Amino acid sequence: MENQLCLFSFEEILNASTTGFIVCCVPSGKGDIDSGNMSCVFINPTAQKLTGITESTGLTQRSIFGEHINLNTLDVSGSLDFKFEKSGVWCRITKSSLGGLFLYTLNDISVEKQHEVKLSHFQKLSAEAEETMEFGSWIWDLKTSQFEWTEGMYKLMGYRSEDLPLSKLDSSTFKKNIHPDDLEMITGKLRNILSYTDTYVLEFRIIAEDGEEKHLYVKGHNTIDEITGHPISVGTAFNVSMLREIQRELEQKVSDLNTSNADLEQFAYVASHDLQEPLRKIVSFGERLDTRSKDSLDEENHLYLDRILSSSRRMQNMINNLLEFSRVTSTSKLFEPTDLNEVLKVTLSDLEVSIQNSKAKIEVDKMPVIDGNQTQLSQLFLNLISNSLKFTKQNVDPVISIKLSDVPETEVIKRKLVGNQQYIKITVKDNGIGFSNENASRIFTIFQRLRGRSEYEGAGIGLSVCKKVVEGHHGIIEAYGIPDQGAVFEIILPVNQN
């Protein structure tokens, strides 16, 4: 082995090294080694590549390192990270004294510097995200009670990182800012933090150092520090104060709206109910007057009386429809297994006379049992079938089909229905006068009529009742029409009400 080593000179070994070596000496008669004018007596190929030097003769320390290097720092610390202008390479330079000579060792740290730059950018982005989204993260050493906070956590708690170094950060610092009303609850939960095997969530209030009260939403988990072996808890705290304020406002508005709706429903019911009696009297006495004075009234007065009776009866129908609409809104949403076959059987029985008089043909698929309110579902089918029987074409026998189909998962997603739920689709189709699809959005609006009262009777409430019933069952109802060819109503209902 010694013989093999003797085959290579020391200079040859240095020239073959992947580490850069530069040897300088103080020129004869000059004792100032900080002048940068030391002569280069040796530079290996690696050092030439790292520094970008192509000509090695007549080199000085300053010509190699350039004017911008801080030689004093290198002299004091013995080491310096430096980027050479010519090559653009980052090197870690170390300086050693060899008697009257000085050895500079150069190691390429470009990859390390790239990682540092990326880390710096990432830290900057993280800090900006924390500031924008108002959150911060922390690591809690459960053995030593020491904390580490990100910059965002300092801001959440109202501190500056320079005023509260890591050495002063511990669990007592954190607890100091917890709102007094939440302190006991949070302290109890933190006391048992080691028992949390899964991700844990805490929500509480703090009073930051600047006096601002904040709602924090904390999500964390426990693990083991790979370096110390200590159990640690890692978590992130979000400032949800604005969300909680919005939530409170929404809850108050919902409460106010519910109260207002209840008052309106009660008013509609009472007003409609109280109007019934005087209208009944108007109609009753009007009919008596019509009977007794039929021969004594002239044609003009008889016309007036007919119009009074006609308007009174129309008002009665409107009030009855309003009462029906009010009952749909106010009826308790108690759902129970409901056989739709029985619902349709009873509905068709109620409409038997109208069906016979119009010579209508009704085609009905076998229906399932679903969770529903039987009374309201009866109203749904009664109004839909009555609508088809009403808007028929002259000299054409009505044909009404009530078909059942499944709702595929793709349609559930497309219509943004609740997933993991079975739905059915009921299609009610007729061959009546139809309507333009431009009016489809209006057809379910209360008191909206697509045809004049002189052509077809009705108050424009029936389909509004249908919409309320379907939506009360967490479903969807849509209408499609073709003028003079018929109308189609599609109802999608969940099988189970969860």
Side-chain angles (χ1 to χ4, degrees):
M1 188 69 176
E2 283 185 27
N3 292 334
Q4 290 178 334
L5 286 174
C6 291
L7 296 175
F8 300 98
S9 68
F10 186 68
E11 183 175 342
E12 288 175 321
I13 295 174
L14 293 179
N15 286 335
S17 175
T18 57
T19 300
F21 294 102
I22 300 173
V23 180
C24 296
C25 67
V26 179
S28 177
K30 295 184 179 180
D32 185 4
I33 62 172
D34 294 327
S35 64
N37 293 320
M38 288 193 294
S39 300
C40 174
V41 296
F42 175 80
I43 179 170
N44 72 344
T46 300
Q48 285 183 295
K49 182 180 178 181
L50 293 175
T51 59
I53 297 297
T54 55
E55 178 59 51
S56 58
T57 58
L59 290 176
T60 64
Q61 186 187 55
R62 185 67 68 185
S63 63
I64 295 173
F65 296 117
E67 296 293 334
H68 63 289
I69 190 171
N70 192 334
L71 294 173
N72 291 332
T73 301
L74 183 59
D75 290 336
V76 172
S77 64
S79 178
L80 178 68
D81 291 349
F82 182 75
K83 183 178 182 180
F84 288 95
E85 288 185 351
K86 292 181 180 179
S87 64
V89 176
W90 274 96
C91 289
R92 181 159 292 132
I93 306 171
T94 57
K95 180 181 179 182
S96 304
S97 178
L98 300 173
L101 301 175
F102 297 94
L103 172 65
Y104 297 92
T105 305
L106 279 59
N107 288 289
D108 188 347
I109 58 169
S110 298
V111 174
E112 181 182 328
K113 284 297 180 181
Q114 288 174 2
H115 289 323
E116 286 182 7
V117 170
K118 288 181 180 179
L119 180 60
S120 176
H121 287 166
F122 177 76
Q123 289 174 337
K124 184 178 180 181
L125 288 174
S126 296
E128 289 177 355
E130 285 187 336
E131 184 174 2
T132 302
M133 303 300 293
E134 290 191 83
F135 72 91
S137 300
W138 41 265
I139 299 174
W140 179 15
D141 189 316
L142 299 174
K143 185 174 181 179
T144 64
S145 293
Q146 291 299 121
F147 269 92
E148 290 183 36
W149 287 354
T150 62
E151 190 63 32
M153 195 66 192
Y154 278 101
K155 290 183 178 179
L156 276 182
M157 303 300 287
Y159 293 99
R160 294 191 307 172
S161 55
E162 56 267 29
D163 296 337
L164 193 62
L166 290 177
S167 59
K168 294 184 178 180
L169 269 179
D170 56 26
S171 55
S172 62
T173 310
F174 180 69
K175 291 177 183 178
K176 170 180 174 289
N177 294 98
I178 297 177
H179 194 286
D181 294 343
D182 295 343
L183 182 59
E184 184 177 351
M185 179 265 293
I186 293 301
T187 301
K189 290 186 176 182
L190 295 179
R191 192 180 297 120
N192 300 316
I193 197 166
L194 280 173
S195 65
Y196 301 151
T197 55
D198 298 321
T199 299
Y200 60 85
V201 173
L202 304 172
E203 187 166 340
F204 54 94
R205 292 165 296 170
I206 64 166
I207 299 177
E209 282 298 291
D210 57 7
E212 182 182 357
E213 183 177 316
K214 300 176 183 178
H215 280 259
L216 295 190
Y217 175 89
V218 172
K219 189 172 184 180
H221 68 277
N222 296 332
T223 185
I224 300 297
D225 190 299
E226 295 181 357
I227 298 175
T228 64
H230 294 175
I232 59 173
S233 188
V234 181
T236 302
F238 300 85
N239 183 2
V240 294
S241 302
M242 185 177 295
L243 290 177
R244 291 297 167 262
E245 184 61 31
I246 293 172
Q247 182 181 7
R248 279 195 297 270
E249 290 178 2
L250 286 175
E251 288 174 351
Q252 183 60 48
K253 288 180 180 178
V254 169
S255 176
D256 294 343
L257 186 60
N258 288 335
T259 301
S260 176
N261 285 341
D263 291 342
L264 286 172
E265 289 170 13
Q266 184 67 18
F267 172 79
Y269 181 82
V270 171
S272 301
H273 189 272
D274 290 349
L275 282 172
Q276 292 277 49
E277 185 58 29
L279 272 174
R280 273 195 295 267
K281 288 182 178 180
I282 292 172
V283 173
S284 177
F285 286 112
E287 289 173 345
R288 289 182 189 180
L289 180 62
D290 183 46
T291 302
R292 292 181 180 182
S293 59
K294 185 175 293 184
D295 299 328
S296 61
L297 291 175
D298 58 28
E299 185 178 348
E300 184 178 0
N301 287 325
H302 191 71
L303 178 63
Y304 291 157
L305 183 57
D306 280 345
R307 288 187 175 180
I308 290 171
L309 285 172
S310 176
S311 296
S312 299
R313 291 184 183 118
R314 192 163 67 248
M315 179 66 77
Q316 273 188 318
N317 288 332
M318 185 175 290
I319 289 172
N320 286 330
N321 287 326
L322 275 173
L323 283 170
E324 180 184 4
F325 188 79
S326 177
R327 279 193 291 268
V328 172
T329 303
S330 59
T331 300
S332 176
K333 294 182 180 179
L334 294 176
F335 302 112
E336 57 185 6
T338 302
D339 188 343
L340 294 182
N341 298 293
E342 287 298 318
V343 171
L344 281 165
K345 181 179 178 182
V346 172
T347 302
L348 293 175
S349 176
D350 292 340
L351 294 170
E352 184 176 4
V353 174
S354 297
I355 293 171
Q356 289 177 351
N357 290 340
S358 62
K359 298 180 181 180
K361 180 182 179 182
I362 313 294
E363 302 170 347
V364 182
D365 280 353
K366 185 175 181 180
M367 294 288 159
V369 175
I370 68 170
D371 289 346
N373 184 301
Q374 185 167 340
T375 302
Q376 292 187 4
L377 290 173
S378 296
Q379 289 177 297
L380 169 66
F381 289 111
L382 183 67
N383 281 298
L384 285 174
I385 298 171
S386 296
N387 191 76
S388 293
L389 291 172
K390 183 192 300 182
F391 296 105
T392 58
K393 291 187 288 189
Q394 288 186 353
N395 304 320
V396 177
D397 292 342
V399 177
I400 303 170
S401 66
I402 304 173
K403 300 295 183 182
L404 175 72
S405 60
D406 293 326
V407 180
E409 186 177 353
T410 52
E411 189 170 359
V412 171
I413 296 171
K414 181 181 177 181
R415 292 180 177 271
K416 298 180 180 180
L417 296 168
V418 177
N420 301 319
Q421 175 76 284
Q422 182 183 356
Y423 291 88
I424 59 168
K425 181 189 289 184
I426 300 172
T427 305
V428 180
K429 183 178 181 181
D430 63 50
N431 63 340
I433 61 173
F435 59 88
S436 172
N437 277 327
E438 294 177 359
N439 297 316
S441 60
R442 295 171 49 210
I443 202 167
F444 295 109
T445 305
I446 191 169
F447 298 132
Q448 284 287 337
R449 298 173 55 89
L450 303 186
R451 301 279 178 169
R453 185 175 288 106
S454 60
E455 297 179 82
Y456 297 93
E457 286 293 328
I461 293 179
L463 292 179
S464 301
V465 171
C466 292
K467 183 176 175 64
K468 273 206 168 289
V469 169
V470 172
E471 290 180 348
H473 284 71
H474 308 106
I476 296 173
I477 183 169
E478 292 178 344
Y480 309 93
I482 300 177
D484 297 322
Q485 293 189 36
V488 177
F489 291 87
E490 286 187 355
I491 303 108
I492 295 177
L493 294 170
V495 174
N496 300 302
Q497 296 287 342
N498 297 327

